[in-house]
Amino acid sequence: MTATQQTSTLPTHRYTLVVDLDRCNGCGSCATACAVENNIPPAPERSNVRTGVVWLRVHDVATVDPSGRSTFVPIPCQQCDEPPCVDVCPQRAVEYDPRTGIVGQIPVRCLGCRYCMVACPYHTRSFNWWSPEWPEGMKASLNPDVSIRQRGVVEKCNFCVQRLQAARAKTSAAGKTDIDPADYVPACVEACPSRALSFGDANDADGEVAKLAKDPESFRLLAALGTSPKVLYRSSDPVVRERLSRTGVTRG
Amino acid sequence: MKLEVSRRDLLLAGTGAAAGIALSPVPWKALDDLSIWTQRPPTPTPRPAGPLAFRFTSCTLCPAACGLKARSFGPQPVGFSGVPGHPASDGGLCPLGLTAHHLAKHPLRAVAPERVSGGKRETIDRAAASAALSAAIAAAAKDPKRSLLVVDGRPGRSLSRTFRALAAATNGRYAVPGSPSPALDTLAARFDGPLSLGVDLSKARRVVSFGTPVLTDAGTPGLLPRLRAEGRRKPKGERLEVVHVGATRTKSAGFADRFVPIAPGTEAALALGLAHVLLDEKLADAAFLAARTTGLAGLEALAARFAPPLVEQKTGVPAGDVVALARDLAASRPAVVLGGDPAEPLSAEADAAIAALNLLLGAPSGPLVARRAAPSEPDGDAKLAAVTALDAVPERSVSLLLLDGTVPEGLVPWARLEKLLADGAVVASFSAFRAGLGEKATLLVPGPAPLEEAVELDGPADAPLATFALAPALLAPPKELVLPEELLREAASAAGFELPAPPAGRAAAIVAAKRGQLFDPSTATTTPVSSLADAAALETAFAAGACWVDDPAPAPAGRFALLSDGEAPRLLESALGAPGPEPARVAALPRTALSAAPSSPLLTKLTRETALFPAPSAAKA
Ligand code: SF4
Ligand code: SF4
Ligand code: SF4
């Protein structure tokens, strides 16, 4: 079920991530913070770029710019408003939440058919080829707010939805209805030392993200596909903007 | 008319109905709704005992000393974030810091002392470790030809004083890894008085880096990309740009505004070529040169030898590009030139040429600022060894090599230390890991892992302002762990050397100096140190993760020598000599070369499952 098919009486947010490519230096802090927050296990011995479970992968696309300058492109699930991965799932393991715009993944429902991986044009989904394993004693440092996924299921970025749930709980405990934007910040955004990542509700017209989304330097990957991602990119380099919005980035 | 329903009609109607229903949404909706009942129960994550709390400390893994905010359940941290406004890091963290809480349980962690002989590793008890260390100390002290060498990765701590006292008492030596910014040290040494320099990147419009990974691995994480991006709306001539000069297209080079590839080892020739153009075209900062430098004639004579065509021959940089770069630098002042990756330092001659270039650009009146070190206790009458350069230690002269757990193998390669060892030497390490230099120890007495002990932590030596924190421990060390300081004192005493008691501590020295501000990470506010009641108040704040930051230092009056005595011939010979070898190392993960600890197993996510960070074995030479 996609955004256009769903209706809701609850207030609708459109949580959106804007990635500033002029700032990203490819440090990997976002990917690391994501793995820590979401209990992604260390890479098994035989895994590689194609088989690993990575929710947010940073790519170096030096070839995009004719000057040869590197552009580092962090790519999480693009949180499409018209997500092809939702329609193909026979298990309802992928759900679009019309209240937030977040495309959720429910690994416990997943039967591992990987239709969604085929349908996703951004290669942002990962399949668990191996059972998750941590070195002895390291399990104690896992995030108790996120459950562990098993072998045989697909997973992906969900904008750290557990942080949204925690923010909602805090808001209602305080007797309020509106979440303080500072209470809901995904782990990657919090971790980025270059402040390349901005996050917020694009429906909040006064918010930074809504303004950035309208900036002429902002664009979407593979814009022509009509998937309407809620992950936007910005670059002051028109060549980078043109190439990435046309071709996106392939894994590897 | 009689309506006859044949079996064929029934079959047709049934098939039609089935096909119709199948083509309608009904069965798919039913399946869809039912499928969610086939879900498996989730695998819950164990919840550590204790309430949720946020605690603050600093990361001790590399010299950047970033502020850490730990989300913890009871004593167990489950995730970190940066501390916005923190004087050392302003919210930045790198992948190493973000996973620091995994290190105490790293598969290569050692807890009990171990002895390695004949390639066999055996666990020994505390008494045996102390006796072995004591015997090695006594033997080193007695032997007139061979001695003890301590290598300390983080000087300035209480343990460092104990090391220095032991080295002094046994006629041994005390060494630290090389300076993180030798080019700045070379420049500071040219001043006609004591001076220490830091880099204030926010004051620069052009940053030229000779090999330093300024945009990725050096300094405060994310700082330079942030400053550069903030100025991008300014007109081209006014915005901050980064030029990377080097033999390898590193990640930082690829992200720079311009990458100038040069033949390896020809940095001095290029720097002198730039000096040539600046002087020849009268583009140098004349006012600064006249008021703050000496020896211009000597530099002019040297630089005159480096006309752009010759520089092209040596470095491979087209002569026109040398001229254009020099003109760009002059037009984009304030500019600063940085040099050398701490793990791959430049030659002393290249550092000298870079120092001269900074003076021609007037950098000490712009991005290069005078700074002071954080106050520390005076040495008093304690007999403490001075710092020896590792290169000054004769080969095969060390019978006991004492390696603190803070020495990164990336900065002090084992091959360099191995040459210093006499036959049968004991290599004792306080590393918490059977990794890096700890793996080379014949006697491993593991100390606390990162976050298991409070650490006296000086911020980066090249930051514009000194910072200091008594970074509190977040994790309890294993009960059986032997603290290095205790064991060292015990072993030294058994060998007949009573080491002086530790001094009052840095907090007392800071309060006595009445200098600087105290940053509270929980409120992101600062308080002047002068308003603190006493050292105990400062210690209490440190225990909650506070960080001290110095006040800006007044710029000292004095002059810099453009070249030091007798330097010109050496520079000439080196810059005109043959190019050096190709650089060998491309660090896979940021900052791993600067850290003495192995990286968290989770960082295999980056090295194995992301093409951007090749595993070290796959890194290109
Ligand atoms: S990026 Fe891929 S996984 Fe994410 S919502 Fe879009 S199609 Fe689905
Ligand atoms: S943390 Fe920020 S700078 Fe680093 S790779 Fe991610 S987006 Fe880029
Ligand atoms: S390793 Fe260095 S840069 Fe990374 S978080 Fe720790 S102190 Fe900061």
Side-chain angles (χ1 to χ4, degrees), chain B residues 89-407:
Chain B
S89 55
D90 192 13
L93 281 188
C94 81
L96 303 190
L98 283 162
T99 49
H101 56 315
H102 296 159
L103 298 179
K105 299 291 180 195
H106 195 284
L108 295 172
R109 172 79 201 270
V111 174
E114 292 175 4
R115 184 165 35 206
V116 182
S117 56
K120 274 177 69 190
R121 191 174 280 275
E122 54 163 342
T123 303
I124 53 175
D125 62 14
R126 181 202 164 110
S130 176
L133 190 57
S134 170
I137 291 172
K142 263 195 230 126
D143 193 334
K145 293 211 191 90
R146 305 179 317 160
S147 65
L148 166 152
L149 169 67
V150 188
V151 188
D152 180 4
R154 200 178 300 128
R157 298 166 296 157
S158 161
L159 177 59
S160 308
R161 279 175 76 98
T162 309
F163 282 144
R164 290 172 62 201
L166 178 67
T170 59
N171 285 326
R173 295 186 175 88
Y174 171 81
V176 299
S179 154
S181 44
L184 286 191
D185 293 349
T186 306
L187 179 52
R190 300 271 168 90
F191 193 64
D192 56 13
L195 177 70
S196 167
L197 288 169
V199 191
D200 186 348
L201 291 169
S202 68
K203 287 191 179 152
R205 264 206 299 150
R206 210 48 104 244
V207 176
V208 181
S209 157
F210 279 76
T212 313
V214 283
L215 282 161
T216 50
D217 301 29
T220 306
L223 176 65
L224 192 55
R226 226 154 69 198
L227 290 171
R228 183 175 68 167
E230 275 154 18
R232 70 186 150 188
R233 304 249 173 270
K234 292 186 182 162
K236 177 139 177 66
E238 284 174 33
R239 59 175 100 119
L240 167 59
E241 288 189 359
V242 181
V243 180
H244 187 101
V245 177
T248 322
R249 188 188 183 280
T250 56
K251 228 166 123 195
S252 191
F255 194 44
D257 296 271
R258 199 160 1 131
F259 170 44
V260 181
I262 57 165
T266 61
E267 290 83 3
L270 182 62
L272 289 170
L274 295 171
H276 173 99
V277 180
L278 291 174
L279 289 167
D280 195 42
E281 299 191 6
K282 310 227 173 316
L283 298 173
D285 187 337
F288 178 83
L289 288 181
R292 305 283 311 275
T293 64
T294 57
L296 181 58
L299 181 62
E300 276 175 334
L302 176 66
R305 305 282 303 268
F306 289 86
L310 175 74
V311 174
E312 173 173 348
Q313 233 181 54
K314 287 271 127 208
T315 63
V317 182
D321 288 4
V322 177
V323 175
L325 181 55
R327 288 179 185 160
D328 172 67
L329 276 178
S332 317
R333 289 204 301 261
V336 62
V337 188
L338 303 171
D341 177 338
E344 269 180 26
L346 300 176
S347 65
E349 289 76 25
D351 289 337
I354 288 171
L357 196 53
N358 271 315
L359 293 173
L360 291 179
L361 293 166
S365 62
L368 293 182
V369 296
R371 55 165 273 154
R372 298 169 290 192
S376 57
E377 318 84 348
D379 287 351
D381 337 320
K383 239 184 113 217
L384 305 176
V387 175
T388 313
L390 267 184
D391 292 339
V393 180
E395 287 190 8
R396 304 170 68 80
S397 70
V398 174
S399 61
L400 169 58
L401 174 63
L402 206 53
L403 296 166
D404 186 39
T406 52
V407 188

Side-chain angles (χ1 to χ4, degrees), chain A residues 20-33 35-37 39-49 51-54 57-60 62 68-70 72 89-92 106-111 135-153 190-191 193-195 215 217 234 236 252, chain B residues 29 31-33 35-36 38-48 69 71 73 76-82 84-85 89-96 98-99 101-102 105-107 215-217 221-223 225-230 232-233 249-251 254-257 589-590 600-606 608-613:
Chain A
D20 188 336
L21 299 180
D22 290 343
R23 287 173 183 255
C24 174
N25 67 352
C27 70
S29 286
C30 51
T32 307
V36 171
E37 169 75 16
N39 296 339
I40 301 177
E45 204 53 54
R46 284 184 298 141
S47 77
N48 57 35
V49 175
T51 55
V53 175
V54 179
R57 193 175 257 113
V58 188
H59 300 255
D60 176 356
R69 187 176 144 181
S70 283
F72 299 104
C89 177
Q91 284 285 99
R92 290 190 71 170
I106 305 145
V108 286
R109 290 185 193 164
C110 174
L111 58 76
E136 174 90 26
M138 228 177 90
K139 260 191 166 179
S141 58
L142 295 185
N143 179 5
D145 295 344
V146 177
S147 50
I148 297 167
R149 285 79 57 192
Q150 294 306 324
R151 187 174 73 162
V153 302
E190 188 177 61
S194 306
R195 303 201 190 122
D215 189 296
E217 289 186 352
R234 300 181 70 210
S236 55
Chain B
K29 176 80 175 98
L31 253 183
D32 206 23
D33 289 352
S35 64
I36 64 167
T38 65
Q39 75 178 40
R40 290 169 282 183
T43 313
T45 307
R47 180 174 285 268
K69 178 180 176 183
R71 179 170 176 258
F73 287 89
Q76 179 62 53
V78 298
F80 290 122
S81 55
S89 55
D90 192 13
L93 281 188
C94 81
L96 303 190
L98 283 162
T99 49
H101 56 315
H102 296 159
K105 299 291 180 195
H106 195 284
L215 282 161
T216 50
D217 301 29
L223 176 65
R226 226 154 69 198
L227 290 171
R228 183 175 68 167
E230 275 154 18
R232 70 186 150 188
R233 304 249 173 270
R249 188 188 183 280
T250 56
K251 228 166 123 195
F255 194 44
D257 296 271
L589 272 176
S600 157
L602 191 60
L603 294 186
T604 49
K605 295 268 85 148
L606 300 182
R608 208 174 292 155
E609 298 178 349
T610 305
L612 189 56
F613 305 93

Side-chain angles (χ1 to χ4, degrees), chain B residues 361-458:
Chain B
L361 293 166
S365 62
L368 293 182
V369 296
R371 55 165 273 154
R372 298 169 290 192
S376 57
E377 318 84 348
D379 287 351
D381 337 320
K383 239 184 113 217
L384 305 176
V387 175
T388 313
L390 267 184
D391 292 339
V393 180
E395 287 190 8
R396 304 170 68 80
S397 70
V398 174
S399 61
L400 169 58
L401 174 63
L402 206 53
L403 296 166
D404 186 39
T406 52
V407 188
E409 199 185 0
L411 299 192
V412 186
W414 174 243
R416 197 166 156 205
L417 291 172
E418 205 177 13
K419 282 197 282 192
L420 309 179
L421 298 180
D423 289 340
V426 174
V427 180
S429 168
F430 291 132
S431 171
F433 305 97
R434 280 180 225 100
L437 293 175
E439 198 189 354
K440 306 295 191 293
T442 55
L443 178 65
L444 178 65
V445 188
L451 303 176
E452 281 183 350
E453 66 170 342
V455 175
E456 301 146 274
L457 191 64
D458 280 290

Side-chain angles (χ1 to χ4, degrees), chain A residues 31-94:
Chain A
T32 307
C34 168
V36 171
E37 169 75 16
N38 293 297
N39 296 339
I40 301 177
E45 204 53 54
R46 284 184 298 141
S47 77
N48 57 35
V49 175
R50 290 185 179 273
T51 55
V53 175
V54 179
W55 289 15
L56 189 165
R57 193 175 257 113
V58 188
H59 300 255
D60 176 356
V61 287
T63 46
V64 165
D65 196 319
S67 70
R69 187 176 144 181
S70 283
T71 301
F72 299 104
V73 191
I75 303 201
C77 164
Q78 303 289 293
Q79 302 295 345
C80 307
D81 270 341
E82 299 294 337
C85 56
V86 172
D87 294 329
V88 297
C89 177
Q91 284 285 99
R92 290 190 71 170
V94 191

Side-chain angles (χ1 to χ4, degrees), chain A residues 76-80 83-86 94 103 116 119-125 156 227:
Chain A
C77 164
Q78 303 289 293
Q79 302 295 345
C80 307
C85 56
V86 172
V94 191
V103 179
C116 56
C120 171
Y122 300 98
H123 311 288
T124 63
R125 297 179 152 269
K156 69 160 193 85
T227 49

